Each structure stands twice: as structure tokens, then as C-alpha cells.
Amino acid sequence: MLGRTTEYAIRAMVYIYIRNQEGGRPSFKEIAKNIDSPEQFTGKVLQNLARSNLVSSVKGKGGGFFFSGPSKSLTLYEIIKAVEGDEYFSKCGFGLKQCDSSSPCPMHDDYSEIRKSFFQLTNKQTIQSLAEKVNQHKAVLNRLQLT
Amino acid sequence: MLGRTTEYAIRAMVYIYIRNQEGGRPSFKEIAKNIDSPEQFTGKVLQNLARSNLVSSVKGKGGGFFFSGPSKSLTLYEIIKAVEGDEYFSKCGFGLKQCDSSSPCPMHDDYSEIRKSFFQLTNKQTIQSLAEKVNQHKAVLNRLQLT
DNA sequence: ATATAAAAAGATATAAATGTCTTTTTATAT
DNA sequence: ATATAAAAAGACATTTATATCTTTTTATAT
């Protein structure tokens, strides 16, 4: 469904948010350790997210990643769009270059429904809502314990 | 959602089914032309499907691909499983190695719903049902006209 | 000021998915 | 029998995704 890069992106953002709440500003090394992702690659992913202004960063000693401004909620949709690209939510499930209700692929109707549900999920769930589940011990970020 | 290889697989199978109904037994070159896919690669994909006994083939002059036996219906699920592998329908949407209701990722509940819907779609839709839509001009296999 | 610790950047490396080219095998039409 | 047309097989080639290694830049703690 989602590429690994996107999975790292979401997990990393949730981790950053949680550490921010605790007053921390984690480095990508700390993040990678805690979400069980490759260190340098996670750095790259975060670099891109920062470029897209989905997260902030400061260089130098004591620096790291954090959410700035009035913590408006950040939907998964925005992250997925930034990482996977815009077409992700409109691609035909059958692989046709052109597919819409006027000239549908044979799966079009059923598939549209599911895509819509997924779209809604990604617009409903936010980094904040996921983080809350983790905080309330209703979900885990990975198999390892959070430090 | 689905890899390109799987998309080719499904489109190819639908095309084969339609041609079979007309009494034809298409070659992978004919198939590729009509579903707008790379020729040789389509050959490989069909070779694998034939290995998995999801379609039959005969070599030699006049040969090609066809469905044998009492045309039992073939679900998309079976094709997807053969091409993408078994884990496809159970992978965590968040990328966790371990994720289930006892130790869920933060998206687990919502995502499970969607995965279930998709699973149901792929078990409801068959090569036959898709072919029928195409036959009834309610859907198209690709942008080009079928010959 | 200087050392330090962090992100950013750049250059590669590896793996997986996708695609192509060539040769071999094999039915079957002639 | 032979030519032909088809799948099968094998060997590469390309592209995209994922991952690592090294160097540079830059805040800030000391």
C-alpha cells in the first residue's frame, strides 16, 4: 500500500511529536533508533519532509527535529502526498492510463469506494491522533520500547 | 496499490478470457498489443501464471494462452496472491514487523477495515465478472479499441 | 574563540521491480 | 519431413526504491 519511505516518514513524525511533547527535539539518529529504521536514510526522509515544511529542524549542537508554530494538526494525507506524490490518490487500480466514470476500467466502481475510504482515513488520522494512541498505550510505534 | 506486474497479469487474463469466448487462443504478443503492456515482459508474467496453473498454454504454431477445464471462476485474489505473494493481504499499513489487535500500530483498526474491503473486492470480482463488463461495453480494458 | 553536535548535501552502493534481447524447445500446419 | 509460429528459458539492461558513506555547513554549548 504505502512505500517504506512513507512508512518511515509517518513513524518518524509521530515519534518527533511525542518527544516534542516531552520537551525533546530528537536527532534523526535518535528517531531511527526508536522507530527501527535505517539511520542515514531516515535523515534523508526527514530532510525532504523539512523541505516540504511539514516539520522544522535546527542544525548544530542541541538541534534536531520539531514541529513549530501553533501545532495545527497534520494529516497523514499531507505526508503521503509529499512522499508518494500527488497521483497516489488518483491512480487507476487496474493500471489504465485513463480511467474515470465515463470510461471506467472493470474494477472502477468497487475500487473507487475503497480508495475513497483510504482517502478518508488519511484525512481523519493525524500525527497527533496517532501519537495520542501511543501515549495512551493503545498502540505501539514499533516492537521496541520507547525510551 | 497493486504493482504493475499484477496489473498486467489481471488485464492479460481478462483479455485471454474474452478471446477464448470468441474461440481464440491469443499469443502474448497479441495480448500485449491489446492491453497496452510491454510484449516480452507480458510473456514472462504469463509464464509465471501458467506455472501457477492459473492459465494454460500451448507451444507451437497455433498455440497461445487459454483457460482449460470447466471454466470455474477465477478471483482477482488468486491472481494477486500468485503475483504479489501471500503477505500482500496481511502486511501492516504502518510498516511494523509485528502488528495485530493485541499489539496494534496506531492505524491498525481503521486500516484493517480497508484491507478487509479490498480483500472482499478481490474475492468478489473475477476474471469472468470483469470480462463481462467489458463485453457489455460497461468498461474498457485499455484506451485502445479491442480488435 | 573553539570544540562539538547536529542537519544538509553529495556521492555511491545495493536491491527490487520492470523491461528487453537472444536462444531454445516444441506443437502443428503445410 | 519441414517450415513455421508459438511458449519457455536464459542472459542482460534499465529504472526506481532503498540504503550507506563521506564531507560540508552551522548552531550552540563550553
Side-chain angles (χ1 to χ4, degrees):
Chain A
M1 194 93 174
L2 297 171
R4 252 187 261 182
T5 303
T6 310
E7 292 175 352
Y8 297 154
I10 299 175
R11 300 222 300 277
M13 296 292 253
V14 173
Y15 182 77
I16 294 167
Y17 186 79
I18 291 174
R19 290 289 289 117
N20 282 183
Q21 287 184 312
E22 298 167 2
R25 199 195 253 178
S27 69
F28 67 75
K29 295 188 183 186
E30 177 187 339
I31 296 167
K33 216 162 284 164
N34 283 279
I35 68 169
D36 195 19
S37 64
E39 201 171 274
Q40 295 297 314
F41 190 66
T42 304
K44 293 286 186 196
V45 172
L46 286 167
Q47 196 177 316
N48 289 328
L49 292 171
R51 270 208 202 93
S52 307
N53 289 310
L54 295 178
V55 71
S56 304
S57 64
V58 277
K59 282 185 172 184
K61 199 167 177 176
F65 292 89
F66 64 100
F67 294 99
S68 63
S71 61
K72 46 169 171 94
S73 65
L74 177 59
T75 64
L76 300 191
Y77 172 73
E78 291 176 82
I79 298 177
I80 295 171
K81 200 177 63 172
V83 180
E84 302 265 356
D86 219 351
E87 340 68 53
Y88 186 79
F89 289 96
S90 52
K91 247 183 48 191
C92 168
F94 204 62
L96 303 190
K97 286 172 195 158
Q98 209 218 348
C99 170
D100 50 43
S101 52
S102 76
S103 178
C105 81
M107 301 202 318
H108 187 75
D109 293 345
D110 286 342
Y111 189 76
S112 297
E113 275 301 303
I114 288 174
R115 202 167 56 192
K116 195 174 133 207
S117 301
F118 184 66
F119 180 76
Q120 285 169 345
L121 183 167
T122 63
N123 274 285
K124 191 181 87 183
Q125 298 288 8
T126 63
I127 294 303
Q128 288 77 12
S129 70
L130 298 190
E132 195 175 356
K133 284 186 202 165
V134 175
N135 281 335
Q136 294 176 351
H137 301 285
K138 288 183 181 162
V140 296
L141 254 195
N142 76 40
R143 298 155 310 144
L144 313 167
Q145 292 302 322
L146 290 180
T147 47
Chain B
M1 195 94 174
L2 297 171
R4 255 188 257 184
T5 303
T6 309
E7 292 174 353
Y8 296 154
I10 298 175
R11 300 221 301 276
M13 296 290 253
V14 173
Y15 181 77
I16 293 167
Y17 186 80
I18 290 174
R19 290 288 290 116
N20 282 183
Q21 286 184 313
E22 299 167 0
R25 199 194 256 177
S27 69
F28 66 76
K29 295 187 183 187
E30 177 187 339
I31 296 167
K33 217 163 282 162
N34 283 280
I35 67 168
D36 194 19
S37 64
E39 201 171 274
Q40 295 297 315
F41 191 67
T42 303
K44 294 284 185 197
V45 171
L46 286 167
Q47 198 177 315
N48 289 327
L49 292 171
R51 270 209 204 92
S52 308
N53 291 310
L54 294 179
V55 71
S56 304
S57 65
V58 275
K59 283 184 171 185
K61 198 165 180 178
F65 293 89
F66 65 100
F67 293 99
S68 64
S71 59
K72 49 171 170 94
S73 65
L74 176 60
T75 63
L76 300 191
Y77 171 74
E78 292 177 81
I79 298 176
I80 295 170
K81 201 176 61 171
V83 180
E84 302 265 356
D86 219 351
E87 340 68 52
Y88 186 78
F89 289 96
S90 51
K91 246 183 48 189
C92 168
F94 203 63
L96 301 191
K97 285 170 196 160
Q98 209 220 348
C99 170
D100 50 43
S101 53
S102 75
S103 178
C105 81
M107 300 202 319
H108 187 75
D109 293 345
D110 286 342
Y111 190 77
S112 298
E113 275 301 302
I114 288 174
R115 205 168 52 193
K116 194 174 133 206
S117 300
F118 184 66
F119 179 77
Q120 284 169 347
L121 183 166
T122 64
N123 274 285
K124 191 181 85 182
Q125 298 287 9
T126 63
I127 294 303
Q128 289 77 13
S129 70
L130 298 190
E132 196 175 355
K133 285 186 202 167
V134 175
N135 282 334
Q136 295 177 349
H137 301 287
K138 289 185 182 162
V140 297
L141 253 196
N142 77 41
R143 296 153 312 143
L144 312 168
Q145 292 302 322
L146 291 180
T147 47

